[in-house]
Amino acid sequence: MVTAPPEPRKLTRKGQATRDRILQTAVDLIAARGVAGTSTEDVRKAAGISGSQLYHYFDSKQALIRAVIARQADAVPIPGRPMMGALDSLEALRAWADAGIERQETIGFGGECTLGTLAGELSAGDEASREQIGQGFLRWQELLHTGLQAMQDRGELSPDADLDELALALLTALQGGTLLTQTLRNTKALRAAMNAALSYIASYSTPNPDRPPTT
Amino acid sequence: MVTAPPEPRKLTRKGQATRDRILQTAVDLIAARGVAGTSTEDVRKAAGISGSQLYHYFDSKQALIRAVIARQADAVPIPGRPMMGALDSLEALRAWADAGIERQETIGFGGECTLGTLAGELSAGDEASREQIGQGFLRWQELLHTGLQAMQDRGELSPDADLDELALALLTALQGGTLLTQTLRNTKALRAAMNAALSYIASYSTPNPDRPPTT
């Protein structure tokens, strides 16, 4: 009988490094082959560890997948992570979108293990994974919402703008665009979707915010 | 040695019906459990046929998955299929989007086997499936493009509008919105993404097309 997977706790520095290595190996294999195509034995071999070592950190494939989702949910939506704190202007959002498109071009259009690809593979048949991935999406939506809220507070977005909707439109453009980019092996869909989402946000921008220009 | 999967050919009406039943069973199971969670044995049992019958139509899981992708690629992007021929106005596109959102609400947010969910599961590790799904996406893009082209030809969309991009933005909104709808179990993301795509298209509409109003 296997009980609930153990939480990672009081790991030594070396233990933490081993756990990180296993997780990174799992992420890389899933990126290339999908969750279904990746066995714990594949991960064990690729990470160069023993079966008992692997079991010490992750006592089942399910426990490993949970940890992969948690790791990818913590990753900020796209590259340019330092920028996330400043996604509070149309220019910053545009730069963020461009960085995401450029990144897809750099990595050769896909072969990534993202929250979106995990959702595509796991949402149908695995309720616990679906919920965990959903929580990750909601956290990203909140991050995007924070920047939009700052814009609205400064009077740059109309008070009528539904910021939850705008944040979701951005997140959905990113996820759908990445999915089609991976499938079609070019960034046209990501570019089109981000243009549409940014244009939608810009349609709520106020030409004359009632605060003085910052110049 | 197994050679290339046999093409469906010269089936009797009864044979075609059996093949259709197997395919529909596979689609239903994949909708509930994903591709990885669905074995040919599951399909055989659920369809109530013998192993040799199944093998007669699909001699491998791969052959069955190919047929599922082909079937879903032929399905028009969303419900309201009769409407597809008339997706050539902002009103028709809005109605189409609303029908898609309503459909997700009717079926309980997900549990569908769509080209998008197949892409999420298969694009990473299965090159032939990725290509086949990509072809399906391109066909949908073309369908959407046809309607937009009619609008541009009538002068309702600016000559500057990049119709390939607008069609891709719509398709990506649908795919990403459906993915997030399945994961978050509500249609907010699909609604937001479709609003953004439709608003983007509307931003290219010409207020005064040079043909007389049809009153």
Side-chain angles (χ1 to χ4, degrees):
Chain A
M1 291 291 289
V2 175
T3 55
E7 290 297 312
R9 56 177 182 268
K10 53 179 169 124
L11 292 177
T12 61
R13 183 181 299 190
K14 197 175 157 216
Q16 187 62 49
T18 305
R19 186 177 186 277
D20 286 348
R21 184 153 52 90
I22 297 170
L23 260 186
Q24 184 60 50
T25 305
V27 166
D28 292 344
L29 287 177
I30 289 171
R33 315 172 181 176
V35 173
T38 303
S39 69
T40 51
E41 177 60 12
D42 295 335
V43 174
R44 186 196 66 71
K45 272 192 215 158
I49 55 170
S50 71
S52 64
Q53 263 182 305
L54 179 64
Y55 188 85
H56 175 73
Y57 296 100
F58 305 102
D59 71 353
S60 65
K61 179 167 177 180
Q62 198 182 37
L64 182 60
I65 299 307
R66 295 276 170 283
V68 166
I69 296 172
R71 186 176 185 279
Q72 300 312 78
D74 281 339
V76 176
I78 292 211
R81 297 176 188 203
M83 281 199 291
M84 275 306 284
L87 284 183
D88 60 352
S89 70
L90 290 175
E91 294 69 28
L93 287 168
R94 179 77 257 174
W96 173 72
D98 287 344
I101 293 162
E102 201 178 318
R103 175 173 159 76
Q104 283 294 322
E105 278 161 358
T106 306
I107 64 172
F109 318 123
E112 266 202 310
C113 164
T114 67
L115 214 50
T117 60
L118 291 168
E121 185 160 359
L122 298 173
S123 283
D126 178 346
E127 182 64 15
S129 292
R130 182 193 67 69
E131 265 190 40
Q132 195 189 354
I133 294 166
Q135 292 304 317
F137 280 149
L138 292 178
R139 206 152 77 231
W140 290 2
Q141 183 193 1
E142 208 175 298
L143 274 172
L144 293 164
H145 188 285
T146 303
L148 296 169
Q149 185 70 62
M151 293 166 70
Q152 197 176 49
D153 290 348
R154 288 197 306 267
E156 294 163 17
L157 285 181
S158 158
D160 297 338
D162 179 339
L163 303 188
D164 282 332
E165 188 191 32
L166 296 185
L168 260 185
L170 263 180
L171 177 58
T172 307
L174 177 64
Q175 298 302 326
T178 302
L179 180 69
L180 266 75
T181 289
Q182 294 192 351
T183 307
L184 295 169
R185 296 275 190 235
N186 67 62
T187 54
K188 286 181 195 168
L190 180 57
R191 206 176 287 274
M194 292 311 258
N195 283 346
L198 292 174
S199 161
Y200 191 46
I201 292 170
S203 76
Y204 286 99
S205 68
T206 51
N208 299 306
D210 57 10
R211 71 196 281 275
T214 51
T215 50
Chain B
M1 292 289 290
V2 175
T3 55
E7 291 297 311
R9 56 176 181 268
K10 53 181 171 123
L11 291 176
T12 61
R13 183 181 299 192
K14 196 175 159 217
Q16 187 62 49
T18 306
R19 186 176 185 277
D20 286 350
R21 183 153 53 91
I22 297 169
L23 261 187
Q24 184 59 51
T25 305
V27 165
D28 292 344
L29 287 177
I30 289 171
R33 315 172 181 176
V35 173
T38 303
S39 70
T40 50
E41 178 60 13
D42 295 334
V43 174
R44 187 195 66 71
K45 273 191 214 156
I49 55 170
S50 70
S52 63
Q53 262 181 306
L54 179 64
Y55 188 85
H56 175 71
Y57 296 101
F58 305 102
D59 71 353
S60 65
K61 179 166 177 182
Q62 197 182 36
L64 182 59
I65 298 307
R66 294 277 170 283
V68 165
I69 296 172
R71 186 175 184 280
Q72 301 311 78
D74 281 340
V76 177
I78 293 209
R81 297 179 189 202
M83 281 198 291
M84 274 306 283
L87 284 183
D88 59 353
S89 69
L90 289 175
E91 294 69 29
L93 287 168
R94 179 77 256 174
W96 173 72
D98 287 344
I101 293 162
E102 201 179 315
R103 175 172 161 76
Q104 283 295 322
E105 277 161 357
T106 306
I107 64 172
F109 319 122
E112 265 203 310
C113 164
T114 67
L115 214 50
T117 59
L118 291 168
E121 185 160 358
L122 298 173
S123 282
D126 178 346
E127 182 63 14
S129 291
R130 181 194 66 70
E131 265 191 40
Q132 195 188 353
I133 295 166
Q135 292 303 319
F137 280 149
L138 292 179
R139 207 152 75 230
W140 291 4
Q141 183 193 3
E142 209 176 296
L143 275 172
L144 293 164
H145 188 285
T146 302
L148 296 170
Q149 185 70 61
M151 293 166 71
Q152 197 176 48
D153 290 347
R154 288 197 305 267
E156 295 163 18
L157 285 181
S158 157
D160 296 339
D162 179 339
L163 303 188
D164 282 332
E165 189 192 31
L166 297 185
L168 261 185
L170 264 179
L171 178 58
T172 307
L174 177 64
Q175 299 302 326
T178 303
L179 180 71
L180 267 74
T181 288
Q182 294 192 350
T183 307
L184 295 169
R185 297 276 189 234
N186 67 62
T187 54
K188 286 180 196 169
L190 181 56
R191 207 177 286 273
M194 292 311 258
N195 283 346
L198 292 173
S199 161
Y200 191 46
I201 292 171
S203 75
Y204 285 99
S205 67
T206 51
N208 298 307
D210 57 9
R211 69 194 282 275
T214 51
T215 58

